[in-house]
Amino acid sequence: MPDASGPPAVPPLGLQLASTAREVSRAFDAALAAAGGSMSTWLVLLSLVTGHAESQRELAAAVGIQGATLTHHLNGMEAAGLVTRRRDPANRRVHLVELTDAGRAAFLRLRDVAVEHDRRLRAGLDPDDEAAARRVLDRLRANVAAVEVS
């Protein structure tokens, strides 16, 4: 019988998941950086291309970052010629964000990186493995979402 005060026989599932997520994220970040991008740039471009956001406020919600942080990223993207910002004529407090031709080209370049990263991530998985992995990840997310922090 294992000693209860000793190390676990196998790593806790949450620790293994967190470690795996970090490695997957690092690999994706490195691939995006090699193509001249970043995770924040990719998420903003993806949100704009898919039509999930037009205003800075919508983009911040879609990307999952604070407005001030998004403004910093958009400043860099605008300086790089990837996006333009203008005030909404119907509501001058709202800034609309639009892709430029260079932004569309950057999206296509980073999309290719994302597709290749996904292909690499799924190497060796058959469709049943992938479906099972998705079910387990959904269950893990649901399990922690159901926990109320007091």
Side-chain angles (χ1 to χ4, degrees), residues 9 13 21 24 28 31-33 35 40 45-46 48 59 62 67 72 75 86 88 97 114 125 136 146:
L13 186 58
V24 170
F28 190 39
L32 290 169
S40 57
L45 294 173
L46 181 62
L48 291 171
L59 271 173
H72 171 74
N75 287 344
R86 63 181 174 84
D88 183 343
V97 182
L125 295 179
V136 169

Side-chain angles (χ1 to χ4, degrees), residues 64-80:
I65 59 176
Q66 298 294 320
T69 303
L70 176 65
T71 298
H72 171 74
H73 291 303
L74 290 176
N75 287 344
M77 292 176 72
E78 193 168 33

Side-chain angles (χ1 to χ4, degrees), residues 40-55 59 74 77-78 80-86 96-108 110:
S40 57
T41 298
W42 168 241
L43 292 173
V44 168
L45 294 173
L46 181 62
S47 292
L48 291 171
V49 166
T50 58
H52 289 111
E54 285 184 349
S55 72
L59 271 173
L74 290 176
M77 292 176 72
E78 193 168 33
L82 303 178
V83 297
T84 59
R85 289 181 283 186
R86 63 181 174 84
L96 300 176
V97 182
E98 297 173 334
L99 282 177
T100 63
D101 289 341
R104 283 181 199 67
F107 168 78
L108 294 174
L110 296 180

Side-chain angles (χ1 to χ4, degrees), residues 5 52 56 91-92 95 115 137:
S5 65
H52 289 111
Q56 282 190 212
N91 183 348
R92 304 275 303 147
H95 287 97
V115 167
L137 291 171

